[in-house]
Amino acid sequence: MPEKVVESFNVKHLSILDEKGVADESLMPSLSESDIKRMYELMVLSRVFDERALSLQREGRIGTYASILGQEASQIGSALSLQKSDRVFPSFREMGVYITMGYPMHMLYQYWSGDERGMKCPADLNIFPLCIPVGTQIPHAVGAGMAVKYRKEKVAVTAYFGDGGTSTGDFHEGLNIAGVFRLPVVFICQNNQRAISVPRETQSASKTLAQKAYSYGFHGIQVDGNDIFAVYKAVSDALIRARQGDGPTLIECFTYRISDHTTADDASRYRGKQEVEEWKPKDPIFRLRLFMSAKGIWTESYEKEIEEKSKEVVDKAVSVSESISPQLPKDMFLYTYEKLTQRQINEMGEL
Amino acid sequence: MPKCNMVSAINLALKEEMARDKDIIVMGEDVGKNGGVFRITEGLIEEFGPDRVIDTPLSESGIVGAGIGMAVYGLKPIVEIQFMGFIYPAIDQIFSHAGRIRNRTRGRFTCPIVIRTPYGAGIKAPDQHSESTEALFCHMPGLKVVVPSSPYNAKGLLISSIRDNDPVVFLESTRLYRLFKEEVPEGEYTIPLEKAQVAKEGKDVTVISWGSMLHKTFEAVEDIDAEVIDLMTLTPLDEETIYKSVKKTGRVVIVHEAPKTCGFGAEVSASISESTMLYLKAPIIRVTGYDVVMPLPKLEDYYMPTQGRIKKAVEEVMKY
Ligand SMILES: Cc1ncc(C[n+]2csc(CCOP(=O)(O)OP(=O)(O)O)c2C)c(N)n1
């Protein structure tokens, strides 16, 4: 009996906008001038938010913070194709996703300053709180996908995670279940090349992370994660397939974390300056600016205007977050259970 | 009224509740076609279909994690972990998420999942099939831990657990599954969570137990005027019922199947000392499983508290 091939697959890499700001028109998603401006403005706003968070941390006004610097295209590009009714399960590094979806910015600062009221998602949004244990949010997205499918709703679910997250059991268990039941879940991996200090190659011996989808029986694709058009297109297509009942997709956004892992980390211990310098010209905002400039929709006065606007929005968010009345010690008891237990009532009396 | 063992009582609860509420989903390994390895979910897939009775991949963390995702979006998942010894891969999901979601979202999202699992020794099962590690779950705020001791209260407690808006870990003693039958009404009745039950009234000593050990306790105290308390819900604990009894009898024996060290008996004992110390006439004694890995069947009878050990403990506190 001759051997025969029983399964094979190809893993594609999608990029549309190159480092010089030139787009491949044949692949370009349909976006109006104002859509493109919105992409740009949200990336700038997220970056200003991020820079401010870093400085607030240094001033001791918020706690440890995980920066998104360099990952704006992956976050904004993916979140822009989401609808408010879609259900989002972020990791701890998705500030750009929250901002794009319209999560009140002051609540993000509130959370990072150590007040969990910042994670009470507004009723008109379906974005889950930050998830600190790596990868554990992935099965939650899968379960939400099961709920969507059961109710025959026309919504999609996304789970965000990093390259480190793909090594966890929950990643594999989650993708496996999503594949078996063909759930409307889009798995968005931001491969920012490291999990704290551990490089991507140490997470997995497979050549791409996208290819892992094929072991679970669905489509995976790698995209240039610093190219907002590519991210937007891949995620939009996947979301449409999900909403139509065509099952899950894994999207690997190939990107780079420019800053330290968190404000408690010093990346110079494990990566050279050279490496970071090589990634800087790939900056997603810079790249889109070149594109817009060539199209005549970017000018210095426009740039100035959106920078100022972003700063105003961020200033306001900081001041709102800092003017919120402090939590009362008894607040820590309130949401452990639906109702306070007798023991909790006694304990509250001790405060 | 039909006579039911615990298996059919739990099955009846599931059936009636699923008929009442179409948002209830049962899922786990082998729960569909096979009706569960203990046949708890037998007949459910025929009645409610594969969209509501879901045979999942073998994936404990995935099952509980997905259950959490369903629960936060308004469904009522009842997930079965095939044996308590296999719940550990899912502990991360239970501890890190199920018990915390309400708090961490200040009530915007809640996690009303029920995690059912058989527990305990006494059916000559293989390694890892006889765990009684309920104390692990009791320690985690935000979770409720429920342990029925009879078919009647299994049905009533399970219905309450299903209707509860917090995550419940529901532990079913394998030894009790088919040990005896009792009358279990069809149709709705509930037994409230967070309430212990005085299963037998008495004056001389309070014996506190739950789940499988309750029956050995009854046998052991037949000739004694003992008050027997069935905790039924371990956390949140009904301290009031316990203290009332301790104030009456002044003597306490706690009986559980789990190992002694950091077992839930330690919590009960410490709580009694803190609150009703001056009523005590004798030290509190715990009769428990030993601090060993749950042995294979040949030794399991030696591991578990016996009638004799319970009797001896009761005699001991009666000396004071
Ligand atoms: C289960 C778990 N293990 C370890 C940690 C500590 N930790 C926090 S972030 C991180 C690396 C995560 O890397 P990755 O998934 O690639 O995401 P990134 O931080 O790069 O966005 C580690 C090890 C954790 N939060 N959770």
Side-chain angles (χ1 to χ4, degrees):
Chain A
M1 285 290 243
E3 286 181 352
K4 57 182 180 181
V5 175
V6 291
E7 175 75 301
S8 63
F9 51 81
N10 296 306
V11 183
K12 288 196 180 135
H13 175 98
L14 176 69
S15 77
I16 298 175
L17 183 66
D18 72 12
E19 284 168 41
K20 298 197 180 68
V22 180
D24 180 337
E25 295 295 338
S26 69
L27 294 171
M28 218 20 214
S30 91
L31 291 164
S32 68
E33 204 176 288
S34 74
D35 291 338
I36 292 169
K37 280 180 148 174
R38 187 163 149 68
M39 286 178 156
Y40 187 72
E41 288 163 23
L42 278 164
M43 287 205 286
V44 172
L45 179 63
S46 300
R47 185 164 290 184
V48 175
F49 170 91
D50 196 67
E51 283 164 353
R52 184 66 59 86
L54 292 170
S55 64
L56 289 172
Q57 191 279 334
R58 272 181 238 112
E59 292 164 28
R61 288 159 70 185
I62 65 170
T64 304
Y65 171 75
S67 166
I68 63 169
L69 186 65
Q71 299 183 213
E72 293 87 353
S74 298
Q75 302 203 355
I76 285 87
S78 58
L80 267 174
S81 41
L82 285 160
Q83 295 166 1
K84 281 198 161 182
S85 53
D86 290 333
R87 289 150 194 199
V88 183
F89 290 82
S91 81
F92 46 80
R93 201 189 292 286
E94 270 75 58
M95 295 317 109
V97 175
Y98 281 93
I99 291 168
T100 303
M101 293 210 65
Y103 199 90
M105 191 184 274
H106 71 267
M107 291 176 74
L108 298 173
Y109 285 127
Q110 190 185 2
Y111 173 78
W112 288 107
S113 77
D115 180 342
E116 60 255 289
R117 291 177 298 178
M119 279 294 115
K120 179 168 184 159
C121 179
D124 65 334
L125 277 179
N126 291 291
I127 182 161
F128 221 54
L130 271 82
C131 183
I132 300 293
V134 169
T136 53
Q137 72 281 19
I138 297 170
H140 304 162
V142 170
M146 290 175 104
V148 163
K149 193 172 178 205
Y150 178 69
R151 293 233 172 96
K152 302 188 169 61
E153 290 167 321
K154 283 268 169 284
V155 305
V157 184
T158 56
Y160 284 89
F161 46 89
D163 38 304
T166 66
S167 306
T168 66
D170 277 349
F171 168 82
H172 298 280
E173 298 197 22
L175 266 72
N176 186 50
I177 294 175
V180 167
F181 297 110
R182 290 179 65 78
L183 300 175
V185 185
V186 180
F187 299 98
I188 300 171
C189 174
Q190 289 173 79
N191 170 8
N192 64 8
Q193 311 304 330
R194 274 199 179 71
I196 309 188
S197 67
V198 180
R200 151 69 184 85
E201 298 70 43
T202 305
Q203 296 303 331
S204 173
S206 60
K207 188 160 177 197
T208 70
L209 298 175
Q211 74 198 59
K212 292 175 187 295
Y214 293 95
S215 359
Y216 302 110
F218 55 87
H219 181 61
I221 184 171
Q222 189 184 68
V223 304
D224 181 341
N226 286 15
D227 165 359
I228 194 162
F229 296 148
V231 174
Y232 177 81
K233 181 174 166 55
V235 176
S236 306
D237 291 352
L239 286 169
I240 289 167
R241 283 198 304 274
R243 291 195 198 96
Q244 282 172 350
D246 293 336
T249 308
L250 169 62
I251 295 169
E252 174 188 357
C253 300
F254 198 86
T255 181
Y256 195 77
R257 180 197 92 213
I258 298 284
S259 43
D260 296 325
H261 169 71
T262 64
T263 51
D265 173 53
D266 172 10
S268 69
R269 293 167 60 88
Y270 53 79
R271 66 179 188 189
K273 271 209 176 78
Q274 178 68 18
E275 177 188 318
V276 185
E277 289 309 314
E278 277 167 23
W279 274 90
K280 280 189 178 159
K282 301 180 207 279
D283 183 282
I285 297 184
F286 177 64
R287 196 185 294 192
L288 185 60
R289 183 188 302 157
L290 291 178
F291 172 86
M292 290 166 71
S293 182
K295 294 265 175 215
I297 52 173
W298 181 92
T299 60
E300 278 188 9
S301 63
Y302 165 73
E303 176 74 10
K304 232 181 150 165
E305 184 195 319
I306 63 152
E307 284 222 330
E308 269 164 26
K309 250 203 329 225
S310 301
K311 284 202 175 107
E312 273 168 35
V313 172
V314 167
D315 284 346
K316 176 112 191 291
V318 172
S319 72
V320 172
S321 84
E322 292 187 337
S323 66
I324 287 170
S325 59
Q327 287 175 291
L328 303 172
K330 76 166 177 46
D331 288 358
M332 70 181 153
F333 287 94
L334 298 183
Y335 294 98
T336 318
Y337 296 101
E338 187 179 28
K339 291 196 207 82
L340 289 169
T341 68
Q342 189 54 49
R343 185 169 274 197
Q344 287 180 317
I345 293 168
N346 299 344
E347 288 169 350
M348 276 167 86
E350 291 171 18
L351 283 171
Chain B
M1 262 192 287
K3 286 223 172 207
C4 281
N5 60 21
M6 203 184 266
V7 171
S8 45
I10 295 170
N11 180 268
L12 189 61
L14 292 171
K15 227 178 240 168
E16 290 177 2
E17 284 297 282
M18 288 183 83
R20 179 188 62 83
D21 179 356
K22 68 171 180 20
D23 283 342
I24 296 174
I25 308 282
V26 165
M27 66 178 178
E29 295 156 14
D30 307 295
V31 298
K33 274 219 172 102
N34 193 33
V37 292
F38 285 102
R39 305 285 174 265
I40 304 285
T41 53
E42 193 159 76
L44 296 183
I45 195 165
E46 287 79 5
E47 201 162 332
F48 302 105
D51 290 344
R52 294 187 62 194
V53 184
I54 304 173
D55 274 323
T56 62
L58 200 165
S59 188
E60 280 74 16
S61 188
I63 296 166
V64 174
I68 290 170
M70 285 178 148
V72 298
Y73 279 107
L75 295 186
K76 181 82 212 192
I78 304 175
V79 308
E80 177 175 300
I81 298 294
Q82 209 158 63
F83 287 90
M84 195 171 189
F86 310 123
I87 204 169
Y88 309 125
I91 272 194
D92 181 25
Q93 285 295 341
I94 301 171
F95 285 8
S96 304
H97 296 291
R100 304 173 77 106
I101 284 170
R102 179 188 292 282
N103 186 66
R104 134 177 125 82
T105 64
R106 301 274 94 187
R108 163 67 207 275
F109 293 107
T110 60
C111 187
I113 189 174
V114 177
I115 301 163
R116 293 182 35 248
T117 188
Y119 88 95
I123 57 158
K124 310 267 176 253
D127 206 359
Q128 317 276 351
H129 285 66
S130 305
E131 308 288 290
S132 181
T133 42
E134 63 272 18
L136 293 174
F137 301 93
C138 294
H139 187 60
M140 291 313 278
L143 303 175
K144 294 183 178 175
V145 179
V146 177
V147 192
S149 62
S150 75
Y152 178 84
N153 70 28
K155 182 181 170 193
L157 286 167
L158 182 56
I159 294 177
S160 295
S161 301
I162 292 169
R163 296 181 187 182
D164 201 87
N165 290 327
D166 287 310
V168 176
V169 177
F170 192 87
L171 301 177
E172 302 163 4
S173 158
T174 51
R175 200 168 70 89
L176 296 186
Y177 267 153
R178 296 172 192 279
L179 189 68
F180 66 100
K181 289 187 174 183
E182 67 183 359
E183 307 225 311
V184 176
E186 275 184 41
E188 169 173 327
Y189 71 90
T190 57
I191 296 176
L193 304 188
E194 303 174 48
K195 284 267 172 285
Q197 187 178 47
V198 178
K200 172 180 173 302
E201 296 211 19
K203 289 196 306 293
D204 291 344
V205 52
T206 300
V207 187
I208 299 170
S209 190
W210 57 89
S212 72
M213 280 301 123
L214 211 75
H215 301 276
K216 288 207 177 151
T217 299
F218 275 129
E219 291 158 12
V221 301
E222 254 169 14
D223 318 325
I224 303 159
D225 193 7
E227 182 142 300
V228 177
I229 294 183
D230 179 359
L231 289 184
M232 297 196 299
T233 301
L234 306 188
T235 45
L237 180 64
D238 175 6
E239 294 174 88
E240 204 186 317
T241 301
I242 297 172
Y243 300 158
K244 206 170 141 207
S245 178
V246 175
K247 285 177 186 170
K248 180 163 81 172
T249 64
R251 296 183 181 88
V252 182
V253 172
I254 301 163
V255 186
H256 64 63
E257 190 178 325
K260 188 175 219 168
T261 302
C262 296
F264 194 67
E267 175 59 40
V268 176
S269 170
S271 301
I272 292 171
S273 322
E274 278 174 358
S275 301
T276 49
M277 183 56 169
L278 295 179
Y279 294 87
L280 289 175
K281 298 174 191 149
I284 300 167
I285 296 188
R286 289 174 286 164
V287 184
T288 68
Y290 296 117
D291 281 322
V292 298
V293 172
M294 181 68 216
L296 289 181
K298 289 233 160 100
L299 293 181
E300 73 179 358
D301 290 341
Y302 295 95
Y303 166 89
M304 280 197 290
T306 55
Q307 254 194 63
R309 284 171 62 197
I310 301 169
K311 246 192 176 118
K312 200 163 145 246
V314 171
E315 281 161 14
E316 187 67 31
V317 295
M318 293 304 293
K319 282 190 198 150
Y320 289 85

